Amino acid sequence: MKTAQELAELAIPVLADYVTVDLPEAMLPGEEPLQRSATTEAGIPVFRRAGVASVHDGAPESPWERKETVFVPPGSPFMEVLHSRRPHFEPVLDTSPGTWLDLDPDRARTVHATGMHSLIVIPLQARGDVLGVAVFGRTTNPAPFTRDDLLLAEELVTRAALSLDNARQYTRERLTALALQRDLLPHELCGTGTVEVASRYLPSATHEGVGGDWYDAIHLPGARIALVVGDVTGHGINAAATMGRLRTAVRTLAYLDLPPDELLTHLDHLIARDARGFEATGATCLYVVYDPQTGRCTMATAGHPPPAIVTPSGDVTFPSLSAGTPIGVGLGTFQSHELYLPAGTLLALYTDGLIETRQADLDTGMARLGDALAREAPQSVTLEHLCTAVIGSIVGDTPAEDDIALLMARIHA
C-alpha cells in the first residue's frame, strides 16, 4: 500500500492531475476479504484502491477511497490492459455515448464532473506477473498526454511494480516460514506430575522473515523431564527448516538418555557433518534435565543464555554456566552444571529476542527479565498468565525486534 501511494503522489502534478493504483486483494495481506458485488460478472477481478492522489483536495476524481473495493467493468480500458498487458493511451478521452463509460456510470459521472479529458492506463508488471493497474488522468492541465508522457508514466510504473513484487515475495516467504515454524513447534506441551510447563512464541515484527527459535519439553524415563530452548542464526524459510531438523535431532538424542553435555556434543557433531543449508555460525541451545526423585537439575548450554531460576522465596538468579560453542561449529566442548531445585522453584528458558535489543545488551536484558519475574511471578495464578505477563512487561506495545521463545516450568512437590 505504501509503494502504491508513493507512486500516485510522485506523479502529481508534474505528470498528471489525478493518479490511482489498484491492486488485487491478494496483494494486500491483512485486509478484510472482499465480497463480490451481486452485479459483477463472474471471473472479473476484484481490486482495492491502493493508491490515489490528485491536485484537488479530497481527490474528487476517484469514486473510491484508499482500501475500498474497486470492481473493474468488462469492456473498459482497465480490463483491456489486464488482458493485453499493454498500456491504454487515450490523449483525448472519448466521453460520447456508446463508449465504455456507458457501462461504468460511477466513473462516467466523475469524468464529466471533473472535466477529465486525457487518460493513460498502465499494467503493473513484474517478473511475468500483472500485479494491478495504474491510471493517470488530466483535468486541470488542458494539454493532452503526449507519447513522452506515456514513456515517463511507464518508467514510473515499472519501478513501482518491482518494489511491489519484492514486497509481495517477502510477505509470501514470511507467511510460509511462519506457517512452517508453527507446524514444527510443539502444539501442546505436556508436563509431568511434578513439573508444570507453559510456553509462548512471539514472531518478530521487524526482521526480514521468521527466525528459527524453538522450545520443547521431552519426557524421559524415571519421571524426569528435559526442557529445551534454541535459536537458529538467520531468518526465513531456511532458518525455520533448520529449526525443525534441530528439534527432531534433540528429541532423538534425548531418547538415548544422554547427559546434557554429551547430548550437545553429539548434536554439534551431527550438524557439523551435515551442514547443507546450515549457516556457518549455527545455532544456540540450552538443554535442561530435571529429576523429581532427587530434586537435581542438570543443564548445559551451547552459546545460549542461562535460564532464570525463581526460588520459592521469590529470589531470581541466573546460574553461571560454561558458555560452550554454538551448535554446528564442530568444536563441541560442553560442560554440565548441576543444582538442587526444591518444590516451588520456577525455571524460565528463553531466546535472546526477549532480553536483547538495539538499546540493551544481554546483561541489561537479563536484569530486566529478573525484575519482571520477581514482580509478576507472585501475582500469576498460572504459568500461562505468567508467560503473557513477562513478555508484556518486557516488550510492551513495541514491535519485537527479534523472535521470542519463552518456556516456563514450575516444580511441584
Side-chain angles (χ1 to χ4, degrees):
M1 290 286 282
K2 181 181 178 181
T3 300
Q5 184 61 25
E6 288 174 346
L7 168 60
E9 293 174 354
L10 181 63
I12 300 294
V14 177
L15 177 60
D17 299 325
Y18 166 65
V19 179
T20 62
V21 180
D22 296 334
L23 302 176
E25 62 173 326
M27 286 284 294
L28 304 171
E31 302 292 343
E32 291 298 321
L34 296 176
Q35 300 297 321
R36 189 178 301 278
S37 169
T39 60
T40 301
E41 295 181 10
I44 295 178
V46 182
F47 289 80
R48 285 190 191 271
R49 182 127 295 172
V52 58
S54 170
V55 295
H56 303 106
D57 292 339
E61 303 94 334
S62 176
W64 303 279
E65 296 182 359
R66 289 187 70 202
K67 298 186 179 182
E68 285 190 340
T69 305
V70 177
F71 296 102
V72 182
S76 68
F78 317 106
M79 284 296 292
E80 171 194 325
V81 163
L82 289 171
H83 289 310
S84 68
R85 301 192 174 200
R86 293 192 299 270
H88 173 86
F89 180 55
E90 196 171 355
V92 179
L93 180 59
D94 186 359
T95 60
S96 61
T99 67
W100 63 272
L101 286 170
D102 290 346
L103 303 175
D104 195 345
D106 290 332
R107 285 187 176 91
R109 280 191 294 270
T110 57
V111 165
H112 290 293
T114 60
M116 190 177 301
H117 61 86
S118 195
L119 182 69
I120 294 175
V121 184
I122 301 176
L124 287 102
Q125 301 183 78
R127 301 178 178 92
D129 292 334
V130 176
L131 310 180
V133 293
V135 177
F136 301 80
R138 280 187 176 172
T139 55
T140 302
N141 186 344
F145 285 121
T146 65
R147 286 287 174 182
D148 288 341
D149 294 326
L150 174 61
L151 291 175
L152 176 57
E154 287 183 298
E155 177 67 20
L156 293 175
V157 170
T158 297
R159 293 177 181 272
L162 288 173
S163 296
L164 286 168
D165 192 55
N166 288 337
R168 178 181 67 160
Q169 291 193 15
Y170 163 75
T171 300
R172 179 184 299 163
E173 178 174 334
R174 176 177 172 79
L175 292 176
T176 300
L178 185 59
L180 175 61
Q181 186 179 50
R182 284 176 173 167
D183 187 58
L184 292 172
L185 287 173
H187 293 264
E188 290 187 12
L189 289 180
C190 183
T192 66
T194 55
V195 179
E196 174 192 0
V197 295
S199 64
R200 282 291 183 278
Y201 169 73
L202 180 66
S204 164
T206 58
H207 259 299
E208 297 180 357
V210 177
D213 294 20
W214 92 95
Y215 53 85
D216 209 347
I218 308 167
H219 290 201
L220 300 175
R224 291 173 300 148
I225 189 171
L227 306 173
V228 192
V229 68
D231 186 359
V232 176
T233 300
H235 294 81
I237 294 176
N238 288 339
T242 300
M243 175 272 289
R245 292 170 51 206
L246 280 168
R247 179 173 176 248
T248 300
V250 168
R251 275 192 160 262
T252 301
L253 292 171
Y255 294 141
L256 298 177
D257 208 9
L258 299 172
D261 58 335
E262 292 185 25
L263 182 142
L264 293 179
T265 298
H266 281 77
L267 181 65
D268 180 49
H269 291 165
L270 175 66
I271 297 300
R273 284 197 301 267
D274 183 21
R276 291 171 297 175
F278 198 81
E279 300 196 28
T281 48
T284 64
C285 182
L286 172 65
Y287 185 77
V288 177
V289 175
Y290 175 72
D291 186 347
Q293 295 182 3
T294 63
R296 308 301 294 181
C297 183
T298 308
M299 60 187 70
T301 177
H304 200 89
I309 300 176
V310 185
T311 66
S313 61
D315 296 328
V316 182
T317 61
F318 295 86
S320 297
L321 306 181
S322 176
T325 55
I327 297 298
V329 175
L331 300 178
T333 303
F334 308 102
Q335 295 182 19
S336 289
H337 180 82
E338 188 176 280
L339 63 161
Y340 174 73
L341 300 181
T345 300
L346 181 72
L347 277 170
L349 287 69
Y350 51 90
T351 54
D352 60 6
L354 181 62
I355 60 172
E356 188 176 34
T357 66
R358 294 184 181 90
Q359 292 77 34
D361 58 17
L362 288 176
D363 290 338
T364 303
M366 289 168 65
R368 291 179 62 199
L369 173 59
D371 291 341
L373 286 168
R375 181 173 58 254
E376 301 293 344
Q379 305 176 33
S380 299
V381 179
T382 66
L383 282 187
E384 295 286 348
H385 179 271
L386 180 57
C387 286
T388 301
V390 167
I391 291 180
S393 174
I394 296 177
V395 178
D397 296 329
T398 60
E401 294 183 9
D402 199 358
D403 288 26
I404 293 173
L406 176 62
L407 174 62
M408 294 278 201
R410 178 180 284 140
I411 298 172
H412 297 285

